[in-house]
Every structure is written in structure tokens, then in C-alpha cells.
Amino acid sequence: MYKIGDKSYPCSTSLTMRYIGGKWKAVILIHLIEKKRYSELRKECSLITERTLSLQLKEMEANGLITRTVHTSKPPLKVDYELTKFGKTLIPLLKDIAQWGKDAAETHEEIEKIK
């Protein structure tokens, strides 16, 4: 059993899912393996609504997975996101998840690759 604040997690899997669970977190994190400007991330994650992307980024920042850097030196305002040291520990897992998806797409009859 694990605990963060007043919330308990019955196993390490549920603890992991606290950080990367949901429809979009893993997708966003894999795009942040390399530092990205918000505009780049927005283009790469075009299926995610702007509101959802913003909320997910804030949550992952609060959880210590990513950092947000605002550059105010000259207009327009630029914002960078990148994985923290803690967030970078997820890279092998994220790559394995992506590879599993590729393998499944090639071998599972029900999956149709488009584009």
C-alpha cells in the first residue's frame, strides 16, 4: 500500500496510474521526451482539446513530472515544457507502451492503420 497526502494506493500499478493514467497523459509525456514549446506540443497532440492539454500539463507539473518555463524576454510570450529528472524515469516505460501499440497494430486483426 502507498499513500500520497490523504490518498491511498493499493499497489504500485495504481500508484503509477496516478501519474500516467487517463486518455492523454502518456501521449503528452512521450511527446515531451524532448523539450517542446507549447505551440509544438499543441500541433503534435492535435486531437487533444486545448483545455484538456492545459489541464493535463498543469496536473503533471504539480505531480513533478514536467517543468514549465515561461520566456518573457520578447513578445510573443513563449512557454517550454520538459520532463523533470523524475519524469525522465518514465521514458523506458513510455517507449515500451509505444512499441506495444506498434506491435499490436501490426498483428491484431481488428486494428486498422490509417494515414
Side-chain angles (χ1 to χ4, degrees):
M1 174 109 36
Y2 302 91
K3 187 173 182 181
I4 298 175
D6 62 351
K7 181 134 183 176
S8 296
Y9 301 88
C11 65
S12 58
T13 301
S14 65
L15 179 65
T16 302
M17 296 311 291
R18 174 199 190 268
Y19 289 96
I20 66 165
K23 187 173 180 178
W24 298 114
K25 284 184 185 172
V27 173
I28 296 166
L29 288 167
I30 201 150
H31 284 285
L32 289 176
I33 286 177
E34 294 183 17
K35 180 164 74 170
K36 297 267 185 330
R37 291 241 162 101
Y38 179 81
S39 58
E40 294 173 302
L41 191 57
R42 185 80 190 100
K43 286 177 190 171
E44 291 178 10
C45 300
S46 62
L47 293 178
I48 306 172
T49 66
E50 194 161 352
R51 181 179 191 279
T52 298
L53 179 59
S54 179
L55 290 171
Q56 295 294 286
L57 289 167
K58 286 177 185 176
E59 190 173 320
M60 289 186 290
E61 183 180 14
N63 288 335
L65 295 177
I66 64 172
T67 58
R68 177 181 187 265
T69 306
V70 179
H71 302 280
T72 58
S73 57
K74 56 183 174 177
L77 183 76
K78 294 187 181 184
V79 180
D80 290 334
Y81 289 91
E82 63 185 312
L83 297 176
T84 62
K85 184 177 179 182
F86 179 54
K88 287 178 183 176
T89 64
L90 287 168
I91 291 173
L93 174 63
L94 295 167
K95 286 184 175 181
D96 283 347
I97 290 170
Q99 187 60 53
W100 185 91
K102 287 177 187 175
D103 293 345
E106 292 174 7
T107 60
H108 199 297
E109 301 168 357
E110 294 179 348
I111 300 172
E112 178 183 350
K113 186 174 180 182
I114 54 175
K115 204 173 186 183

PDB file of all heavy atoms in Angstrom, residues 34-61:
ATOM      1  N   GLU A  34      11.590  15.037 -25.604  1.00  0.00           N
ATOM      2  CA  GLU A  34      12.433  16.188 -25.939  1.00  0.00           C
ATOM      3  C   GLU A  34      11.665  17.453 -25.579  1.00  0.00           C
ATOM      4  O   GLU A  34      10.444  17.516 -25.756  1.00  0.00           O
ATOM      5  CB  GLU A  34      12.770  16.194 -27.431  1.00  0.00           C
ATOM      6  CG  GLU A  34      13.648  15.034 -27.841  1.00  0.00           C
ATOM      7  CD  GLU A  34      14.040  15.092 -29.296  1.00  0.00           C
ATOM      8  OE1 GLU A  34      13.923  16.164 -29.922  1.00  0.00           O
ATOM      9  OE2 GLU A  34      14.464  14.052 -29.816  1.00  0.00           O
ATOM     10  N   LYS A  35      12.361  18.449 -25.070  1.00  0.00           N
ATOM     11  CA  LYS A  35      11.731  19.713 -24.671  1.00  0.00           C
ATOM     12  C   LYS A  35      10.951  20.296 -25.843  1.00  0.00           C
ATOM     13  O   LYS A  35      11.401  20.262 -26.984  1.00  0.00           O
ATOM     14  CB  LYS A  35      12.809  20.701 -24.211  1.00  0.00           C
ATOM     15  CG  LYS A  35      12.240  22.036 -23.785  1.00  0.00           C
ATOM     16  CD  LYS A  35      13.207  22.868 -22.974  1.00  0.00           C
ATOM     17  CE  LYS A  35      14.306  23.480 -23.755  1.00  0.00           C
ATOM     18  NZ  LYS A  35      15.072  24.463 -22.953  1.00  0.00           N
ATOM     19  N   LYS A  36       9.768  20.801 -25.534  1.00  0.00           N
ATOM     20  CA  LYS A  36       8.901  21.360 -26.572  1.00  0.00           C
ATOM     21  C   LYS A  36       8.311  22.688 -26.135  1.00  0.00           C
ATOM     22  O   LYS A  36       8.029  22.908 -24.971  1.00  0.00           O
ATOM     23  CB  LYS A  36       7.706  20.421 -26.828  1.00  0.00           C
ATOM     24  CG  LYS A  36       8.032  19.065 -27.361  1.00  0.00           C
ATOM     25  CD  LYS A  36       7.963  19.059 -28.845  1.00  0.00           C
ATOM     26  CE  LYS A  36       8.156  17.741 -29.524  1.00  0.00           C
ATOM     27  NZ  LYS A  36       8.934  16.720 -29.006  1.00  0.00           N
ATOM     28  N   ARG A  37       8.103  23.550 -27.105  1.00  0.00           N
ATOM     29  CA  ARG A  37       7.314  24.753 -26.885  1.00  0.00           C
ATOM     30  C   ARG A  37       5.855  24.332 -26.859  1.00  0.00           C
ATOM     31  O   ARG A  37       5.470  23.329 -27.468  1.00  0.00           O
ATOM     32  CB  ARG A  37       7.528  25.751 -28.023  1.00  0.00           C
ATOM     33  CG  ARG A  37       8.917  26.346 -28.029  1.00  0.00           C
ATOM     34  CD  ARG A  37       8.827  27.849 -27.852  1.00  0.00           C
ATOM     35  NE  ARG A  37      10.096  28.390 -27.438  1.00  0.00           N
ATOM     36  CZ  ARG A  37      10.950  29.002 -28.229  1.00  0.00           C
ATOM     37  NH1 ARG A  37      10.658  29.156 -29.502  1.00  0.00           N
ATOM     38  NH2 ARG A  37      12.070  29.489 -27.742  1.00  0.00           N
ATOM     39  N   TYR A  38       5.038  25.119 -26.184  1.00  0.00           N
ATOM     40  CA  TYR A  38       3.617  24.792 -26.095  1.00  0.00           C
ATOM     41  C   TYR A  38       3.017  24.661 -27.491  1.00  0.00           C
ATOM     42  O   TYR A  38       2.257  23.736 -27.763  1.00  0.00           O
ATOM     43  CB  TYR A  38       2.860  25.856 -25.287  1.00  0.00           C
ATOM     44  CG  TYR A  38       1.390  25.554 -25.194  1.00  0.00           C
ATOM     45  CD1 TYR A  38       0.908  24.644 -24.274  1.00  0.00           C
ATOM     46  CD2 TYR A  38       0.489  26.152 -26.070  1.00  0.00           C
ATOM     47  CE1 TYR A  38      -0.448  24.333 -24.212  1.00  0.00           C
ATOM     48  CE2 TYR A  38      -0.868  25.849 -26.013  1.00  0.00           C
ATOM     49  CZ  TYR A  38      -1.326  24.937 -25.081  1.00  0.00           C
ATOM     50  OH  TYR A  38      -2.660  24.633 -25.032  1.00  0.00           O
ATOM     51  N   SER A  39       3.390  25.563 -28.392  1.00  0.00           N
ATOM     52  CA  SER A  39       2.828  25.529 -29.749  1.00  0.00           C
ATOM     53  C   SER A  39       3.206  24.239 -30.483  1.00  0.00           C
ATOM     54  O   SER A  39       2.386  23.683 -31.227  1.00  0.00           O
ATOM     55  CB  SER A  39       3.272  26.747 -30.552  1.00  0.00           C
ATOM     56  OG  SER A  39       4.682  26.801 -30.625  1.00  0.00           O
ATOM     57  N   GLU A  40       4.421  23.746 -30.285  1.00  0.00           N
ATOM     58  CA  GLU A  40       4.839  22.482 -30.903  1.00  0.00           C
ATOM     59  C   GLU A  40       4.028  21.318 -30.333  1.00  0.00           C
ATOM     60  O   GLU A  40       3.563  20.453 -31.079  1.00  0.00           O
ATOM     61  CB  GLU A  40       6.322  22.216 -30.642  1.00  0.00           C
ATOM     62  CG  GLU A  40       7.284  23.176 -31.286  1.00  0.00           C
ATOM     63  CD  GLU A  40       8.709  22.923 -30.824  1.00  0.00           C
ATOM     64  OE1 GLU A  40       8.975  22.972 -29.609  1.00  0.00           O
ATOM     65  OE2 GLU A  40       9.555  22.659 -31.706  1.00  0.00           O
ATOM     66  N   LEU A  41       3.896  21.320 -29.029  1.00  0.00           N
ATOM     67  CA  LEU A  41       3.146  20.268 -28.355  1.00  0.00           C
ATOM     68  C   LEU A  41       1.698  20.272 -28.807  1.00  0.00           C
ATOM     69  O   LEU A  41       1.103  19.228 -29.064  1.00  0.00           O
ATOM     70  CB  LEU A  41       3.247  20.473 -26.841  1.00  0.00           C
ATOM     71  CG  LEU A  41       2.760  19.365 -25.945  1.00  0.00           C
ATOM     72  CD1 LEU A  41       3.477  18.052 -26.239  1.00  0.00           C
ATOM     73  CD2 LEU A  41       2.951  19.756 -24.491  1.00  0.00           C
ATOM     74  N   ARG A  42       1.139  21.441 -28.956  1.00  0.00           N
ATOM     75  CA  ARG A  42      -0.247  21.605 -29.411  1.00  0.00           C
ATOM     76  C   ARG A  42      -0.433  20.997 -30.799  1.00  0.00           C
ATOM     77  O   ARG A  42      -1.425  20.318 -31.068  1.00  0.00           O
ATOM     78  CB  ARG A  42      -0.578  23.103 -29.413  1.00  0.00           C
ATOM     79  CG  ARG A  42      -1.968  23.437 -29.731  1.00  0.00           C
ATOM     80  CD  ARG A  42      -2.880  23.244 -28.520  1.00  0.00           C
ATOM     81  NE  ARG A  42      -4.234  23.378 -29.001  1.00  0.00           N
ATOM     82  CZ  ARG A  42      -5.036  22.358 -29.261  1.00  0.00           C
ATOM     83  NH1 ARG A  42      -4.673  21.146 -29.026  1.00  0.00           N
ATOM     84  NH2 ARG A  42      -6.238  22.557 -29.742  1.00  0.00           N
ATOM     85  N   LYS A  43       0.531  21.225 -31.700  1.00  0.00           N
ATOM     86  CA  LYS A  43       0.451  20.663 -33.056  1.00  0.00           C
ATOM     87  C   LYS A  43       0.582  19.142 -33.036  1.00  0.00           C
ATOM     88  O   LYS A  43      -0.128  18.443 -33.743  1.00  0.00           O
ATOM     89  CB  LYS A  43       1.544  21.257 -33.946  1.00  0.00           C
ATOM     90  CG  LYS A  43       1.277  22.672 -34.366  1.00  0.00           C
ATOM     91  CD  LYS A  43       2.425  23.225 -35.173  1.00  0.00           C
ATOM     92  CE  LYS A  43       2.252  24.719 -35.389  1.00  0.00           C
ATOM     93  NZ  LYS A  43       3.437  25.349 -35.972  1.00  0.00           N
ATOM     94  N   GLU A  44       1.520  18.637 -32.223  1.00  0.00           N
ATOM     95  CA  GLU A  44       1.762  17.201 -32.174  1.00  0.00           C
ATOM     96  C   GLU A  44       0.624  16.444 -31.494  1.00  0.00           C
ATOM     97  O   GLU A  44       0.438  15.257 -31.736  1.00  0.00           O
ATOM     98  CB  GLU A  44       3.082  16.908 -31.469  1.00  0.00           C
ATOM     99  CG  GLU A  44       4.280  17.355 -32.271  1.00  0.00           C
ATOM    100  CD  GLU A  44       5.601  17.126 -31.564  1.00  0.00           C
ATOM    101  OE1 GLU A  44       5.624  16.449 -30.508  1.00  0.00           O
ATOM    102  OE2 GLU A  44       6.619  17.626 -32.066  1.00  0.00           O
ATOM    103  N   CYS A  45      -0.096  17.109 -30.641  1.00  0.00           N
ATOM    104  CA  CYS A  45      -1.215  16.497 -29.910  1.00  0.00           C
ATOM    105  C   CYS A  45      -2.530  17.128 -30.366  1.00  0.00           C
ATOM    106  O   CYS A  45      -3.362  17.527 -29.547  1.00  0.00           O
ATOM    107  CB  CYS A  45      -1.017  16.682 -28.400  1.00  0.00           C
ATOM    108  SG  CYS A  45       0.471  15.939 -27.747  1.00  0.00           S
ATOM    109  N   SER A  46      -2.714  17.210 -31.653  1.00  0.00           N
ATOM    110  CA  SER A  46      -3.841  17.962 -32.219  1.00  0.00           C
ATOM    111  C   SER A  46      -5.213  17.375 -31.889  1.00  0.00           C
ATOM    112  O   SER A  46      -6.217  18.080 -31.982  1.00  0.00           O
ATOM    113  CB  SER A  46      -3.681  18.085 -33.729  1.00  0.00           C
ATOM    114  OG  SER A  46      -3.681  16.800 -34.324  1.00  0.00           O
ATOM    115  N   LEU A  47      -5.276  16.115 -31.509  1.00  0.00           N
ATOM    116  CA  LEU A  47      -6.567  15.520 -31.158  1.00  0.00           C
ATOM    117  C   LEU A  47      -7.014  15.886 -29.743  1.00  0.00           C
ATOM    118  O   LEU A  47      -8.165  15.678 -29.379  1.00  0.00           O
ATOM    119  CB  LEU A  47      -6.513  13.994 -31.287  1.00  0.00           C
ATOM    120  CG  LEU A  47      -6.337  13.457 -32.701  1.00  0.00           C
ATOM    121  CD1 LEU A  47      -6.251  11.936 -32.682  1.00  0.00           C
ATOM    122  CD2 LEU A  47      -7.465  13.919 -33.612  1.00  0.00           C
ATOM    123  N   ILE A  48      -6.103  16.435 -28.963  1.00  0.00           N
ATOM    124  CA  ILE A  48      -6.409  16.835 -27.592  1.00  0.00           C
ATOM    125  C   ILE A  48      -6.919  18.275 -27.625  1.00  0.00           C
ATOM    126  O   ILE A  48      -6.295  19.143 -28.233  1.00  0.00           O
ATOM    127  CB  ILE A  48      -5.160  16.767 -26.686  1.00  0.00           C
ATOM    128  CG1 ILE A  48      -4.521  15.382 -26.759  1.00  0.00           C
ATOM    129  CG2 ILE A  48      -5.508  17.129 -25.251  1.00  0.00           C
ATOM    130  CD1 ILE A  48      -3.180  15.288 -26.046  1.00  0.00           C
ATOM    131  N   THR A  49      -8.031  18.536 -26.969  1.00  0.00           N
ATOM    132  CA  THR A  49      -8.519  19.911 -26.930  1.00  0.00           C
ATOM    133  C   THR A  49      -7.525  20.775 -26.159  1.00  0.00           C
ATOM    134  O   THR A  49      -6.779  20.280 -25.295  1.00  0.00           O
ATOM    135  CB  THR A  49      -9.899  20.020 -26.249  1.00  0.00           C
ATOM    136  OG1 THR A  49      -9.763  19.681 -24.865  1.00  0.00           O
ATOM    137  CG2 THR A  49     -10.927  19.137 -26.932  1.00  0.00           C
ATOM    138  N   GLU A  50      -7.515  22.042 -26.463  1.00  0.00           N
ATOM    139  CA  GLU A  50      -6.587  22.959 -25.802  1.00  0.00           C
ATOM    140  C   GLU A  50      -6.821  22.974 -24.290  1.00  0.00           C
ATOM    141  O   GLU A  50      -5.876  22.997 -23.508  1.00  0.00           O
ATOM    142  CB  GLU A  50      -6.724  24.363 -26.386  1.00  0.00           C
ATOM    143  CG  GLU A  50      -5.583  25.257 -25.995  1.00  0.00           C
ATOM    144  CD  GLU A  50      -5.432  26.459 -26.896  1.00  0.00           C
ATOM    145  OE1 GLU A  50      -6.102  26.556 -27.932  1.00  0.00           O
ATOM    146  OE2 GLU A  50      -4.612  27.313 -26.525  1.00  0.00           O
ATOM    147  N   ARG A  51      -8.078  22.940 -23.882  1.00  0.00           N
ATOM    148  CA  ARG A  51      -8.408  22.944 -22.455  1.00  0.00           C
ATOM    149  C   ARG A  51      -7.869  21.684 -21.767  1.00  0.00           C
ATOM    150  O   ARG A  51      -7.263  21.752 -20.703  1.00  0.00           O
ATOM    151  CB  ARG A  51      -9.924  23.034 -22.266  1.00  0.00           C
ATOM    152  CG  ARG A  51     -10.346  23.065 -20.815  1.00  0.00           C
ATOM    153  CD  ARG A  51     -11.875  23.173 -20.682  1.00  0.00           C
ATOM    154  NE  ARG A  51     -12.305  23.450 -19.346  1.00  0.00           N
ATOM    155  CZ  ARG A  51     -12.427  22.548 -18.381  1.00  0.00           C
ATOM    156  NH1 ARG A  51     -12.125  21.297 -18.618  1.00  0.00           N
ATOM    157  NH2 ARG A  51     -12.840  22.889 -17.187  1.00  0.00           N
ATOM    158  N   THR A  52      -8.074  20.526 -22.379  1.00  0.00           N
ATOM    159  CA  THR A  52      -7.603  19.267 -21.804  1.00  0.00           C
ATOM    160  C   THR A  52      -6.083  19.242 -21.737  1.00  0.00           C
ATOM    161  O   THR A  52      -5.509  18.836 -20.724  1.00  0.00           O
ATOM    162  CB  THR A  52      -8.130  18.064 -22.616  1.00  0.00           C
ATOM    163  OG1 THR A  52      -9.552  18.066 -22.552  1.00  0.00           O
ATOM    164  CG2 THR A  52      -7.603  16.754 -22.093  1.00  0.00           C
ATOM    165  N   LEU A  53      -5.423  19.687 -22.803  1.00  0.00           N
ATOM    166  CA  LEU A  53      -3.969  19.737 -22.813  1.00  0.00           C
ATOM    167  C   LEU A  53      -3.466  20.609 -21.676  1.00  0.00           C
ATOM    168  O   LEU A  53      -2.573  20.220 -20.920  1.00  0.00           O
ATOM    169  CB  LEU A  53      -3.451  20.246 -24.163  1.00  0.00           C
ATOM    170  CG  LEU A  53      -1.932  20.378 -24.300  1.00  0.00           C
ATOM    171  CD1 LEU A  53      -1.232  19.042 -24.074  1.00  0.00           C
ATOM    172  CD2 LEU A  53      -1.575  20.957 -25.668  1.00  0.00           C
ATOM    173  N   SER A  54      -4.046  21.768 -21.534  1.00  0.00           N
ATOM    174  CA  SER A  54      -3.642  22.692 -20.474  1.00  0.00           C
ATOM    175  C   SER A  54      -3.841  22.073 -19.088  1.00  0.00           C
ATOM    176  O   SER A  54      -2.958  22.151 -18.231  1.00  0.00           O
ATOM    177  CB  SER A  54      -4.445  23.989 -20.599  1.00  0.00           C
ATOM    178  OG  SER A  54      -4.099  24.880 -19.585  1.00  0.00           O
ATOM    179  N   LEU A  55      -4.990  21.452 -18.868  1.00  0.00           N
ATOM    180  CA  LEU A  55      -5.271  20.823 -17.573  1.00  0.00           C
ATOM    181  C   LEU A  55      -4.302  19.673 -17.275  1.00  0.00           C
ATOM    182  O   LEU A  55      -3.804  19.546 -16.154  1.00  0.00           O
ATOM    183  CB  LEU A  55      -6.707  20.317 -17.512  1.00  0.00           C
ATOM    184  CG  LEU A  55      -7.790  21.382 -17.443  1.00  0.00           C
ATOM    185  CD1 LEU A  55      -9.175  20.748 -17.610  1.00  0.00           C
ATOM    186  CD2 LEU A  55      -7.716  22.140 -16.131  1.00  0.00           C
ATOM    187  N   GLN A  56      -4.040  18.860 -18.287  1.00  0.00           N
ATOM    188  CA  GLN A  56      -3.127  17.730 -18.098  1.00  0.00           C
ATOM    189  C   GLN A  56      -1.708  18.213 -17.809  1.00  0.00           C
ATOM    190  O   GLN A  56      -1.025  17.660 -16.951  1.00  0.00           O
ATOM    191  CB  GLN A  56      -3.129  16.819 -19.329  1.00  0.00           C
ATOM    192  CG  GLN A  56      -4.441  16.124 -19.588  1.00  0.00           C
ATOM    193  CD  GLN A  56      -4.808  15.118 -18.523  1.00  0.00           C
ATOM    194  OE1 GLN A  56      -4.237  14.049 -18.440  1.00  0.00           O
ATOM    195  NE2 GLN A  56      -5.759  15.480 -17.682  1.00  0.00           N
ATOM    196  N   LEU A  57      -1.265  19.252 -18.515  1.00  0.00           N
ATOM    197  CA  LEU A  57       0.062  19.808 -18.269  1.00  0.00           C
ATOM    198  C   LEU A  57       0.169  20.351 -16.850  1.00  0.00           C
ATOM    199  O   LEU A  57       1.172  20.110 -16.160  1.00  0.00           O
ATOM    200  CB  LEU A  57       0.384  20.907 -19.290  1.00  0.00           C
ATOM    201  CG  LEU A  57       0.638  20.419 -20.722  1.00  0.00           C
ATOM    202  CD1 LEU A  57       0.633  21.601 -21.688  1.00  0.00           C
ATOM    203  CD2 LEU A  57       1.949  19.650 -20.813  1.00  0.00           C
ATOM    204  N   LYS A  58      -0.852  21.054 -16.389  1.00  0.00           N
ATOM    205  CA  LYS A  58      -0.840  21.589 -15.026  1.00  0.00           C
ATOM    206  C   LYS A  58      -0.777  20.475 -13.993  1.00  0.00           C
ATOM    207  O   LYS A  58      -0.039  20.564 -13.015  1.00  0.00           O
ATOM    208  CB  LYS A  58      -2.075  22.466 -14.782  1.00  0.00           C
ATOM    209  CG  LYS A  58      -1.995  23.801 -15.462  1.00  0.00           C
ATOM    210  CD  LYS A  58      -3.265  24.608 -15.256  1.00  0.00           C
ATOM    211  CE  LYS A  58      -3.188  25.902 -16.064  1.00  0.00           C
ATOM    212  NZ  LYS A  58      -4.419  26.677 -15.985  1.00  0.00           N
ATOM    213  N   GLU A  59      -1.539  19.423 -14.227  1.00  0.00           N
ATOM    214  CA  GLU A  59      -1.542  18.297 -13.292  1.00  0.00           C
ATOM    215  C   GLU A  59      -0.190  17.593 -13.259  1.00  0.00           C
ATOM    216  O   GLU A  59       0.327  17.272 -12.190  1.00  0.00           O
ATOM    217  CB  GLU A  59      -2.649  17.310 -13.677  1.00  0.00           C
ATOM    218  CG  GLU A  59      -2.868  16.245 -12.633  1.00  0.00           C
ATOM    219  CD  GLU A  59      -4.080  15.377 -12.927  1.00  0.00           C
ATOM    220  OE1 GLU A  59      -5.111  15.905 -13.376  1.00  0.00           O
ATOM    221  OE2 GLU A  59      -3.976  14.158 -12.691  1.00  0.00           O
ATOM    222  N   MET A  60       0.404  17.384 -14.435  1.00  0.00           N
ATOM    223  CA  MET A  60       1.707  16.714 -14.479  1.00  0.00           C
ATOM    224  C   MET A  60       2.809  17.595 -13.897  1.00  0.00           C
ATOM    225  O   MET A  60       3.756  17.087 -13.293  1.00  0.00           O
ATOM    226  CB  MET A  60       2.027  16.273 -15.905  1.00  0.00           C
ATOM    227  CG  MET A  60       1.142  15.111 -16.343  1.00  0.00           C
ATOM    228  SD  MET A  60       1.572  14.418 -17.943  1.00  0.00           S
ATOM    229  CE  MET A  60       1.074  15.738 -19.041  1.00  0.00           C
ATOM    230  N   GLU A  61       2.673  18.902 -14.042  1.00  0.00           N
ATOM    231  CA  GLU A  61       3.625  19.815 -13.409  1.00  0.00           C
ATOM    232  C   GLU A  61       3.483  19.736 -11.886  1.00  0.00           C
ATOM    233  O   GLU A  61       4.480  19.634 -11.167  1.00  0.00           O
ATOM    234  CB  GLU A  61       3.399  21.245 -13.894  1.00  0.00           C
ATOM    235  CG  GLU A  61       4.393  22.233 -13.336  1.00  0.00           C
ATOM    236  CD  GLU A  61       4.166  23.660 -13.809  1.00  0.00           C
ATOM    237  OE1 GLU A  61       3.091  23.967 -14.362  1.00  0.00           O
ATOM    238  OE2 GLU A  61       5.090  24.477 -13.586  1.00  0.00           O
TER     239      GLU A  61
END
